[in-house]
Amino acid sequence: MNPSHKTIDPQTTVRPIDHSTFSVQWNLFWFEPSSVRLVSQLRGLLCLVTACYFLSSLTDVATWYGSDGVLSRTQVADWSSSQSESGELRWRMSPLFLTDHLMVFRGWAIIGVVLCVAVAIGRGGRWASIAVWLTLIGWANRSLFVAGIAEPLLSLSWLAASIAPASTAITANGLFARPFFAVTDPRGLDRHWTATLSARLLAVQGTIIGLATFSTMMAGRVWWNGLGSYALAAPTQDRYFHAANWISPMMIHEPLTHLLLWILPLGLFLAWQPRYETIGRVLLVSWTIAIAVLTSHFLYASTLGIMFLAIRRNLDSTPSLSDSCTE
């Protein structure tokens, strides 16, 4: 008998994996393979928001950039020479700092839109998503103080969304036909651990930003005396909706203020509960819609809403490609 040959005792039982341990739960949460359908949905929405961002930037390129623009290379050089601005500008890197030609800026924005379309239809693989992220960063860094609160959220979202495999966002069956978003990766990837990691990053980022926003609101006196919603809508310049006129009565803006304050943490809590996750996401999306109408920060609210839509315990609650094909 070969001593190196090992026999297995039929009475020996294999110990099952203890799913209660922290390490196992950690790996299941971040790396368990899941359908790429959810990430395809979220990435398609991100493509839409980012394309709108680049298209809106095209409208005032001549005002901000170019040799006569507010953010011309000469102006930037003057600001960087001052002690107060040099530290911040040192970390803002972009190829757009090398030129003042308006055609370059317009071409950069158009390339961003084209890349968004390519990602939405599943072309270019992960590199297309990474290219969108880098194009966005390059534009935001060159925008300096023109960049607002939407750019950081878009950058974080694309960093997470670019991890998952490429897939088609919208099918030819129509926007409201099933399957709503199809998964057609050229390598046949319907489930992958990077899809889980991508969705979890979006969800965790949205949760952290939501909790930070709630903490900031709690620290403001206007959210306790009932004037918070009116304070958001009060500046009427550059607003698409003059919501201050709608909520000026005390019986409207005071209840709305308290709703905006408490719906956010309640929605975050419910969204992470498998039984009530749909209710939680509805509350969170409703909160972002209210913020968009009151403040006119549509890109910021839309991006945060996309992050909120990623919050769920079971990533496979969205039908997979095989399930859609058998229906």
Side-chain angles (χ1 to χ4, degrees):
M1 183 176 179
N2 188 359
S4 63
H5 179 69
K6 297 181 179 180
T7 60
I8 300 177
D9 186 357
Q11 301 298 325
T12 304
T13 58
V14 179
R15 293 182 58 187
I17 298 176
D18 186 4
H19 287 81
S20 63
T21 62
F22 175 79
S23 60
V24 173
Q25 290 295 326
W26 175 271
N27 290 331
L28 290 176
F29 181 84
W30 289 104
F31 306 113
E32 183 183 24
S34 64
S35 172
V36 301
R37 174 181 284 272
L38 173 62
V39 181
S40 301
Q41 295 178 4
L42 302 177
R43 195 162 45 197
L45 294 175
L46 278 176
C47 288
L48 178 61
V49 174
T50 308
C52 291
Y53 170 80
F54 282 119
L55 290 174
S56 64
S57 301
L58 281 173
T59 59
D60 51 6
V61 167
T63 303
W64 298 107
Y65 311 106
S67 57
D68 298 326
V70 179
L71 298 177
S72 64
R73 296 178 63 191
T74 304
Q75 287 281 52
V76 173
D78 293 340
W79 292 331
S80 61
S81 62
S82 64
Q83 186 67 26
S84 59
E85 299 290 344
S86 59
E88 179 182 352
L89 292 177
R90 185 183 301 116
W91 301 103
R92 291 180 175 267
M93 296 178 289
S94 171
L96 294 176
F97 280 114
L98 302 176
T99 182
D100 275 335
H101 293 288
L102 294 178
M103 290 301 298
V104 175
F105 286 88
R106 294 190 177 100
W108 188 280
I110 293 173
I111 289 174
V113 175
V114 173
L115 287 173
C116 288
V117 174
V119 173
I121 63 177
R123 303 302 180 186
R126 289 187 178 94
W127 290 109
S129 297
I130 295 174
V132 173
W133 177 52
L134 295 177
T135 305
L136 175 68
I137 291 177
W139 186 277
N141 285 346
R142 182 62 176 86
S143 298
L144 298 178
F145 59 80
V146 179
I149 58 178
E151 286 83 355
L153 265 64
L154 281 171
S155 177
L156 288 173
S157 298
W158 275 108
L159 176 62
S162 61
I163 297 175
S167 55
T168 303
I170 301 177
T171 69
N173 296 336
L175 208 57
F176 299 100
R178 296 192 69 182
F180 183 66
F181 288 92
V183 179
T184 54
D185 187 86
R187 292 165 296 174
L189 292 178
D190 183 35
R191 300 174 62 84
H192 203 265
W193 68 270
T194 55
T196 301
L197 179 59
S198 179
R200 294 305 193 195
L201 283 175
L202 284 170
V204 171
Q205 288 171 355
T207 302
I208 293 175
I209 294 172
L211 291 176
T213 302
F214 172 67
S215 301
T216 304
M217 295 168 69
M218 290 281 288
R221 183 176 299 178
V222 293
W223 293 101
W224 293 101
N225 60 18
L227 294 175
S229 60
Y230 191 78
L232 291 178
T236 57
Q237 65 274 13
D238 300 327
R239 295 296 177 92
Y240 293 96
F241 303 105
H242 297 287
N245 299 329
W246 309 340
I247 65 174
S248 56
M250 183 182 299
M251 61 182 301
I252 297 179
H253 68 251
E254 284 195 355
L256 181 60
T257 295
H258 297 300
L259 280 175
L260 290 176
L261 177 62
W262 295 109
I263 280 180
L264 182 57
L266 178 62
L268 288 172
F269 174 77
L270 293 179
W272 283 107
Q273 308 303 314
R275 188 173 180 180
Y276 305 105
E277 62 179 18
T278 301
I279 298 175
R281 288 195 295 271
V282 169
L283 291 177
L284 292 173
V285 172
S286 300
W287 185 88
T288 58
I289 293 174
I291 294 298
V293 173
L294 291 175
T295 64
S296 291
H297 290 301
F298 297 105
L299 296 177
Y300 163 81
S302 300
T303 308
L304 187 56
I306 294 171
M307 289 181 169
F308 287 156
L309 288 175
I311 301 177
R312 60 194 69 202
R313 292 292 292 272
N314 182 15
L315 296 179
D316 283 330
S317 59
T318 307
S320 64
L321 179 62
S322 57
D323 296 334
S324 301
C325 293
T326 57
E327 292 179 355

